Amino acid sequence: MENVRVVSYGIGVIGRRLAQHVLTKDGLEIVGAVDINPKIVGKDLGEILGGNKLGVLISDNIDMVISETKPDVVLHTTMSYVKQTYDQLVKIISHGVDIVSTCEELAYPYATEEVANYAKKMDSLAKEREVTLLGTGINPGFLMDTLPITLTGVCGEVDTIYVTRQMDAATRRIPFQKKIGAGLSIEEFKSKIDAHEITGHVGLEQSIKMIADALGWNLDEIRVEPVEPVVLDRDVASDAIKVPKGHNAGSKQKAFGIKDGETVITLDFRAYIGALEEYDGVIIEGVPPINQKISPCVHGDHGTIAIIANMIPHVINAEPGLKTMKDLPLPHATPQHMRMYLE
Amino acid sequence: MENVRVVSYGIGVIGRRLAQHVLTKDGLEIVGAVDINPKIVGKDLGEILGGNKLGVLISDNIDMVISETKPDVVLHTTMSYVKQTYDQLVKIISHGVDIVSTCEELAYPYATEEVANYAKKMDSLAKEREVTLLGTGINPGFLMDTLPITLTGVCGEVDTIYVTRQMDAATRRIPFQKKIGAGLSIEEFKSKIDAHEITGHVGLEQSIKMIADALGWNLDEIRVEPVEPVVLDRDVASDAIKVPKGHNAGSKQKAFGIKDGETVITLDFRAYIGALEEYDGVIIEGVPPINQKISPCVHGDHGTIAIIANMIPHVINAEPGLKTMKDLPLPHATPQHMRMYLE
C-alpha cells in the first residue's frame, strides 16, 4: 500500500517529536523537512532526530521542497499566531497541498476580526486550490473545545461549561517548565511577564469562541485574564528546577465567555511544579449535568503529536477550505496503515 | 424565524419524553404524531403528554401524516432492531424526509451481514431520495462508541479500550427497573431470560463494531456475553422495588471485540438497584493512556432525548445517505433556535 507523503515544516521541539511519531506510523513517510534555523538547515532530518540518516535534508525553502517532493500533506509546527504563519500557510495552499498545523490561533481563527479576515482569505484560496487546512492540537484543538463540545451533545439544556486543565509541570519537558517561569521569584516572574518573556497560554480565546459558535451562543465578550504566578506554601521541585516556598511554581490563567452579562464558559488552566492532582475536567451545568474528568491529564506533547497525525485522513478526505475540529467528523486514533482511512 | 417541522413516530415512553423535550425547544414544532397503540390513536398528542391540546392527533398512518404535514424530519422511536423498523424507515425515506431514530441497531447497522444488507438498501434509497438517516441515542450512539472514539483522537497508539457504564437502577424509571429483572429471585430471573422476557442491552455489538471500524481494526470476532443477574450481599430497594439479599438487583453484561486473538475492546454494562457508584468510564491503554470518568453516569433518558434533538441540524445539513455518529461532525447541544444551526 502506498504511503501518505508528508513534509515536516518546523523542526523545533514539537516538530521533532511529531517527525519521530510519523516515522513510527505505518503508512506515513516523511519526504521533506523545512526549518529556518541555520544550525540545522542542510543537515539530515534523521540525524537531527538522533537516529540514522533518512536521506531527507532540512531545507529553508518550503516552495522548493514541495515542488520537489509533491507531498500529500504538510505538517506545520512553526508559530502560534496566524499573523506569523499566514505567509507560510498561503505558500503551501498555493501549491495545492493539504495542511495540518499546530498554529494555536488557526485552531479557531474567528475570535478576533483581524484574524478572521486572514482566515477568510485562506479559506477562499484553499477552496480555489482544492486544499483543506486545519489547525489542531491538544489545547487548543481538543481538551478545551472539541471534548466539551462533544459532551454537550447529550445535553438538552446547557447553562454553563467549566473546563479545567491542571498539570504537574514537573512531568513535562524543561523548556515548558521554564516557559511558565517555574523557580523564579515573584518579582522575576512579573518582570518577565511585563517583558513578554513569559506569555499566557495561546488558545483560550479560540477555544471559547469555538464552543460558543458550536452551541450558537452569541457572546458579549471573551475575557482572557492575565497569566498569574502560582505560589505554594511548601518547597517543590522537578528534576531540573527547585522552587523554594514563596517562589513561583508555575502559572495559572483563566478565560471567560460572557453571554447576557453571565459567565457561561470558563477555561481554567494551571501548570505548576508540585500540583497534587493532574487532570482535565469538564463540568457542564445543564440537563442532564455532566461531570467529566480525565485523570491524570492527557500528556500535552504526546496528545498534540497524536492528534496532528490522526487528523491527516480527515483533512485529506474533507471538502476544501479552512476547517476547524467542529466541522470535521469525530477524531479517532489511526493505528492501521494511514491509507486505510482515506476515502 | 421558521420552525423545523417534526413528526414524532412512536409515542411510547421515550417518544413521549422526546415529544415533551421538542415542545420546549426553540425552533422545533411537532406537526404530526404516529403510533400503532389503539389506546392513543385518534387522541390529541398534548393530552397524551398530560398537558393541553396541541391540535396534533395521533395517527396510525405514517404515509398520510407525512403527506399532510410535510415535515423536515421524523423522530423515530419505535423498536430496537432494523428488521422490525426497516419497513417503517423505508416508508419515511420514500417520502424524502430526513430521520433521526433511536433504533439501537441502526446506530451502527454493520455488525452482522444481514443487518448490513438492510442498511445498504436504506443507504441507496436515501441517496436516491436525498434523505439523511441516522440512528443514535445515549447508548448505543454516544457513551460506548462516539465518546471513546473521540477520546482515541489524542492517542498515537491504542492497545485496548475498556468502557464501563454502571447505573443505579433506583434512579431510573420503573419500566427500566422491571426490564432488568430487579427484585426477582435468581430462578425467576433465569426463567425470564430463557423466555426472552428479560433481554440484554441492545447495542453492545453495534458500539464495538463502530469503534473497530473508526480505528480501522479488523476484528476476529465480537462476542456478546449473556446477560447475568446481579446478586448483592445486602438488602437494597428503590421507591418501587425491594430487593432482598440474594435476590436479583438488576443485570450486567459484557461484550468483547477480539483482534488477533486478544481482547482489544471491552464494554461492561451494569444496571442494578443499590449500585454504590454511578459512572461512565473509558480507559484507553495506549500512548498517551486515557483514564476518563463521567460521574455520576449520564442520565439515559435525558441523554437520549437530548442527542436525538441535537442531531437534527447535523442530519438536515448532511449529505444524503445512512449516516452514523462517526460520519457526522461533532455532536453538540442546540440551545438556540434550531434553524440557527442549519446551513
Side-chain angles (χ1 to χ4, degrees):
Chain A
M1 218 183 285
E2 216 181 316
N3 287 330
V4 172
R5 298 166 63 81
V6 171
V7 163
S8 287
Y9 189 177
I11 314 295
V13 177
I14 286 293
R16 289 174 204 207
R17 293 201 174 192
L18 179 58
Q20 267 155 340
H21 178 59
V22 166
L23 290 174
T24 67
K25 273 199 83 78
D26 206 17
L28 288 182
E29 183 179 348
I30 299 182
V31 296
V34 177
D35 201 284
I36 53 162
N37 179 353
K39 287 182 189 157
I40 61 171
V41 170
K43 297 205 171 143
D44 188 281
L45 176 65
E47 287 181 322
I48 294 301
L49 299 180
N52 296 328
K53 285 194 181 183
L54 292 169
V56 174
L57 297 185
I58 297 169
S59 162
D60 59 3
N61 189 327
I62 182 70
D63 284 309
M64 202 174 292
V65 168
I66 293 181
S67 300
E68 284 172 2
T69 64
K70 310 217 174 309
D72 296 299
V73 64
V74 172
L75 303 186
H76 174 264
T77 61
T78 66
M79 290 161 104
S80 298
Y81 296 97
V82 167
K83 209 170 179 171
Q84 300 166 323
T85 56
Y86 177 76
D87 290 343
Q88 300 172 351
L89 296 169
V90 162
K91 271 191 192 172
I92 307 165
I93 298 168
S94 302
H95 281 278
V97 179
D98 289 338
I99 306 167
V100 188
S101 172
T102 58
C103 174
E104 281 91 338
E105 230 180 14
L106 189 68
Y108 205 73
Y110 305 106
T112 66
E113 203 182 315
E114 189 194 3
V115 179
N117 283 336
Y118 283 116
K120 276 173 210 159
K121 284 191 219 166
M122 288 191 282
D123 182 55
S124 296
L125 184 62
K127 283 172 178 156
E128 193 188 307
R129 304 292 305 160
E130 297 193 353
V131 160
T132 310
L133 165 62
L134 172 73
T136 190
I138 194 85
N139 185 25
F142 190 80
L143 292 169
M144 289 188 153
D145 36 49
T146 295
L147 185 56
I149 289 169
T150 301
L151 291 169
T152 69
V154 294
C155 296
E157 289 173 33
V158 176
D159 298 322
T160 63
I161 300 174
Y162 197 110
V163 188
T164 306
R165 178 158 173 78
Q166 177 163 308
M167 293 161 60
D168 178 5
T171 67
R172 307 297 145 136
R173 54 191 157 87
I174 296 165
F176 179 82
Q177 296 178 30
K178 292 195 171 151
K179 196 175 115 185
I180 59 173
L184 301 179
S185 72
I186 303 309
E187 293 66 38
E188 288 169 325
F189 180 87
K190 287 190 177 160
S191 70
K192 278 188 187 276
I193 292 276
D194 291 342
H196 302 285
E197 289 174 34
I198 292 176
T199 53
H201 178 71
V202 183
L204 299 175
E205 206 174 354
Q206 288 66 36
S207 292
I208 288 177
K209 182 67 173 160
M210 198 198 301
I211 294 173
D213 283 359
L215 269 58
W217 279 347
N218 193 6
L219 299 179
D220 312 337
E221 184 194 354
I222 296 175
R223 188 149 50 83
V224 180
E225 301 268 282
V227 60
E228 286 177 20
V230 177
V231 185
L232 302 176
D233 58 1
R234 64 191 195 284
D235 295 348
V236 292
S238 69
D239 287 346
I241 297 177
K242 284 185 182 168
V243 185
K245 172 178 164 179
H247 272 54
N248 181 51
S251 69
K252 60 183 181 182
Q253 191 174 18
K254 282 189 179 181
F256 305 100
I258 295 154
K259 181 170 75 76
D260 304 329
E262 306 279 339
T263 297
V264 289
I265 303 170
T266 305
L267 306 187
D268 186 348
F269 188 79
R270 313 172 200 147
Y272 57 98
I273 294 174
L276 294 180
E277 191 187 6
E278 287 206 295
Y279 69 95
D280 291 297
V282 179
I283 295 173
I284 300 170
E285 300 282 351
V287 180
I290 307 270
N291 176 25
Q292 190 233 222
K293 199 181 238 189
I294 299 175
S295 174
C297 60
V298 181
H299 193 287
D301 292 350
H302 290 171
T304 289
I305 285 160
I307 199 167
I308 290 285
N310 288 335
M311 292 308 288
I312 291 174
H314 279 336
V315 164
I316 292 179
N317 290 334
E319 296 290 304
L322 193 167
K323 302 293 178 188
T324 71
M325 290 299 287
K326 80 177 183 61
D327 308 317
L328 295 175
L330 303 183
H332 60 74
T334 51
Q336 306 306 307
H337 190 288
M338 192 57 81
R339 197 156 287 277
M340 272 189 54
Y341 305 98
L342 299 187
E343 281 162 8
Chain B
M1 217 184 285
E2 215 180 316
N3 287 331
V4 172
R5 297 166 64 82
V6 171
V7 163
S8 288
Y9 188 177
I11 313 295
V13 176
I14 286 293
R16 288 173 205 207
R17 292 201 175 192
L18 179 58
Q20 267 156 338
H21 179 60
V22 166
L23 290 174
T24 67
K25 272 200 82 79
D26 206 17
L28 288 182
E29 183 178 349
I30 299 182
V31 296
V34 176
D35 201 284
I36 53 163
N37 179 354
K39 287 182 188 154
I40 61 171
V41 170
K43 296 204 172 146
D44 188 280
L45 176 66
E47 287 181 322
I48 293 301
L49 298 179
N52 296 327
K53 284 194 181 183
L54 292 168
V56 174
L57 297 185
I58 297 168
S59 163
D60 58 3
N61 189 327
I62 183 69
D63 284 309
M64 202 176 290
V65 167
I66 294 181
S67 300
E68 284 172 2
T69 63
K70 308 216 176 309
D72 297 298
V73 64
V74 171
L75 302 185
H76 174 264
T77 61
T78 66
M79 290 161 105
S80 297
Y81 295 97
V82 166
K83 209 170 179 171
Q84 300 167 322
T85 56
Y86 177 75
D87 290 343
Q88 300 172 351
L89 296 169
V90 162
K91 271 191 192 174
I92 307 166
I93 298 168
S94 302
H95 281 278
V97 178
D98 289 338
I99 305 168
V100 188
S101 173
T102 59
C103 175
E104 280 92 339
E105 229 179 15
L106 189 69
Y108 205 74
Y110 306 105
T112 66
E113 204 182 314
E114 188 194 5
V115 179
N117 284 335
Y118 283 118
K120 277 173 209 158
K121 284 191 219 167
M122 288 191 282
D123 182 55
S124 296
L125 184 62
K127 283 172 178 158
E128 194 188 308
R129 303 293 303 160
E130 298 193 352
V131 160
T132 309
L133 165 63
L134 172 73
T136 190
I138 193 85
N139 185 27
F142 190 82
L143 292 170
M144 289 188 154
D145 37 48
T146 295
L147 185 56
I149 289 169
T150 302
L151 290 169
T152 69
V154 294
C155 296
E157 290 173 32
V158 176
D159 298 321
T160 63
I161 300 174
Y162 197 111
V163 188
T164 306
R165 177 156 172 80
Q166 176 163 307
M167 295 162 60
D168 178 5
T171 66
R172 307 297 145 134
R173 54 192 159 85
I174 296 164
F176 179 81
Q177 296 178 29
K178 293 196 171 152
K179 197 174 114 185
I180 60 173
L184 301 179
S185 72
I186 303 308
E187 293 67 36
E188 287 171 324
F189 181 86
K190 288 190 175 160
S191 69
K192 278 187 187 276
I193 292 277
D194 291 341
H196 302 285
E197 289 173 36
I198 293 175
T199 54
H201 178 70
V202 183
L204 298 175
E205 207 174 353
Q206 287 66 37
S207 292
I208 288 177
K209 182 68 172 159
M210 198 198 301
I211 294 173
D213 283 358
L215 268 58
W217 278 348
N218 193 6
L219 299 180
D220 312 335
E221 184 195 353
I222 297 174
R223 188 150 50 83
V224 180
E225 300 268 284
V227 61
E228 286 177 20
V230 177
V231 185
L232 303 176
D233 58 2
R234 64 191 196 283
D235 296 348
V236 292
S238 69
D239 287 347
I241 296 178
K242 283 184 183 170
V243 185
K245 172 178 163 179
H247 272 54
N248 181 50
S251 69
K252 60 183 180 183
Q253 192 173 18
K254 281 189 180 180
F256 306 100
I258 295 154
K259 182 169 75 75
D260 304 330
E262 306 279 338
T263 298
V264 290
I265 304 170
T266 305
L267 306 187
D268 186 348
F269 188 79
R270 315 172 199 146
Y272 56 99
I273 294 173
L276 294 179
E277 192 187 6
E278 288 206 294
Y279 68 95
D280 291 297
V282 179
I283 295 174
I284 300 170
E285 299 284 350
V287 181
I290 306 271
N291 176 24
Q292 190 232 222
K293 200 180 237 189
I294 299 175
S295 175
C297 61
V298 180
H299 193 289
D301 292 351
H302 289 171
T304 289
I305 284 159
I307 199 166
I308 291 284
N310 288 337
M311 291 308 288
I312 291 174
H314 279 335
V315 164
I316 292 179
N317 289 335
E319 296 291 304
L322 194 167
K323 302 292 180 190
T324 71
M325 290 299 287
K326 80 176 183 62
D327 308 316
L328 295 175
L330 303 183
H332 60 74
T334 51
Q336 306 305 306
H337 190 288
M338 191 57 80
R339 197 157 286 277
M340 271 189 54
Y341 304 97
L342 299 186
E343 280 163 9

